[in-house]
Amino acid sequence: MAEAVAVSPDLRASERYCEQMARREAANFYWGFIALPRSQRTAIYALYDFARQVDDDADLVNGAGRGALLDRHRARLRSARSGDTTDPVMSVLASAMTRFSIPRREPEMLIDGVAMDLTTTRYETWDELVAYCNLVASVVGRMCVRIFGFRDPRALQLADDLGTALQLINILRDVREDAGRGRIYLPLEDLQRFGISEEQVLSERVPQPAWRALVAFESARARDLHTRGLRVTELIPLQAAVCVRTMAGMYSRILDRIERDPLLPLRQRASLSAATKVAVMARAWLQAV
C-alpha cells in the first residue's frame, strides 16, 4: 500500500538525485539496500546522503568555520520541505521524516555527533564513548528501523545496540588512521587497564601482548553488542532484515580479521574482498529463506 502513494515529479527527480549520490559515494551501501521497496530505499539513500554532506562539510575547513557549516545543516532541517528542488536531499528526507514518523531531533543528533568530533579527541570512559556512538551510529539505526517498519518497540533499542557495535568495529579498524589525526576513540580507562599509554597508540609503538589483550577485550564487547543488536532483524520486515544482515555481516567479517590479527589495525585499515562481500550477501539471503 505504501508504494501506491502519489509522488510529485519534483520529488521523483530529487529521489533520483539521492540514488545517484549514494551509488557514486558509497556503492556497497547503495547495493546493500537495493532490494527494499522504492519509498524505503530512497529514504535510506537520502539519510545516507545527508549524513555524508554533514560529515564532508565538517572536514572542509578548520576552526570556527566548521561550526558555522553545521549550523547551516541544522537550518536545513528546520526549513526542509518535500518537493524543494533547490535542495533535493532535504526534499526526500523531509518527505521520509513525515511518511515514516522520524522525529526531527534524530537527524539533529547526527549533527551533534559530528560536532563532537570538532572538539573531542579522547573519551575517558566506555559510557562516554557509548554516548558518542549513540549520536553518530545508533541514531542512524533508529531512523532506518522507523523507515523499515517494526513490530515491537524493542527494535529501537536493538538498533541502538547494533549501531554501537558497528561503530566500535569502525574504531578498532581505524586506529592507525585516527592516530594520524591525533585522535584516540578507545576509552582511556581501557588503555590504562591494559597498561597502554596514549603516546604509544599515537606513535603506533604499542607493547604487543598488551595490545592483543586490549583488542580481545574490545572485540568481545563489539561481538556481544553485534549479536544482541542483530536480533532487530526478528522485528522488521524480511527484505529489510536481509539488508541489515548484509551490512552487519560485512562488519562481522572485518571484526573476524581483527580478531585473527590484532596488530592489523596498527598497520593498515582492514577491508574485505569483493568475493567476501558477495558471500556475505548470499548468506544473508539464505538465512531469510
Side-chain angles (χ1 to χ4, degrees):
M1 291 293 292
E3 290 303 299
V5 174
V7 177
S8 71
D10 286 343
L11 181 58
R12 186 67 80 197
S14 294
E15 288 177 342
R16 287 195 294 271
Y17 178 94
C18 290
E19 291 174 332
Q20 291 164 3
M21 180 176 173
R23 186 171 185 177
R24 180 178 69 251
E25 301 293 341
N28 289 335
F29 181 91
Y30 173 86
W31 289 109
F33 289 94
I34 197 70
L36 289 177
R38 181 182 177 86
S39 64
Q40 294 181 4
R41 185 173 71 242
T42 55
I44 294 288
Y45 292 156
L47 179 57
Y48 167 83
D49 294 343
F50 174 71
R52 181 63 182 259
Q53 289 174 333
V54 172
D55 199 49
D56 285 351
D57 272 1
D59 290 337
L60 279 179
V61 296
N62 295 318
R66 293 183 293 184
L69 287 173
L70 295 184
D71 287 341
R72 183 178 70 84
H73 289 298
R74 296 184 200 279
R76 289 174 72 205
L77 276 174
R78 289 193 297 270
S79 61
R81 59 182 178 83
S82 178
D84 181 2
T85 57
T86 66
D87 193 341
V89 171
M90 291 311 303
S91 172
V92 180
L93 188 57
S95 176
M97 290 169 66
T98 299
R99 184 171 189 174
F100 301 110
S101 301
I102 298 172
R104 192 178 76 188
R105 178 58 191 146
E106 290 186 349
E108 286 177 342
M109 287 171 65
L110 183 61
I111 300 174
D112 292 343
V114 174
M116 283 185 70
D117 277 333
L118 304 186
T119 59
T120 306
T121 60
R122 304 286 190 279
Y123 294 88
E124 290 288 341
T125 67
W126 169 243
D127 287 344
E128 287 183 7
L129 183 62
V130 168
Y132 169 75
C133 292
N134 283 340
L135 294 176
V136 297
S138 295
V139 73
V140 176
R142 276 183 171 250
M143 288 187 280
C144 288
V145 164
R146 294 187 193 282
I147 292 169
F148 298 149
F150 54 93
R151 295 188 293 274
D152 188 311
R154 287 180 302 143
L156 297 173
Q157 180 57 55
L158 294 173
D160 286 349
D161 291 338
L162 186 58
T164 300
L166 302 189
Q167 188 63 24
L168 181 54
I169 294 169
N170 275 341
I171 288 168
L172 286 168
R173 180 195 63 189
D174 296 341
V175 165
R176 187 171 187 270
E177 182 178 328
D178 291 331
R181 298 174 178 172
R183 296 182 177 278
I184 299 175
Y185 285 96
L186 294 171
L188 298 186
E189 65 179 5
D190 295 348
L191 297 186
Q192 294 165 7
R193 175 177 178 175
F194 292 98
I196 299 171
S197 70
E198 296 176 43
E199 291 72 21
Q200 287 171 328
V201 175
L202 294 175
S203 65
E204 301 164 34
R205 296 176 180 174
V206 181
Q208 289 192 16
W211 180 257
R212 291 178 186 277
L214 172 64
V215 170
F217 176 78
E218 303 294 358
S219 296
R221 177 179 265 166
R223 188 69 71 184
D224 179 63
L225 284 164
H226 188 282
T227 299
R228 188 162 68 243
L230 199 55
R231 288 167 47 207
V232 72
T233 58
E234 301 168 9
L235 303 175
I236 59 178
L238 178 62
Q239 286 175 299
V242 170
C243 295
V244 171
R245 285 190 175 278
T246 297
M247 297 298 293
M250 290 184 185
Y251 275 86
S252 181
R253 292 295 187 94
I254 289 172
L255 187 59
D256 288 344
R257 290 198 63 191
I258 293 171
E259 288 175 321
R260 287 194 301 269
D261 182 4
L263 301 181
L264 179 62
L266 297 175
R267 299 193 308 271
Q268 65 187 58
R269 195 175 196 259
S271 60
L272 301 178
S273 67
T276 297
K277 292 174 183 177
V278 170
V280 169
M281 286 193 227
R283 179 177 174 79
W285 278 106
L286 287 173
Q287 288 175 324
V289 175

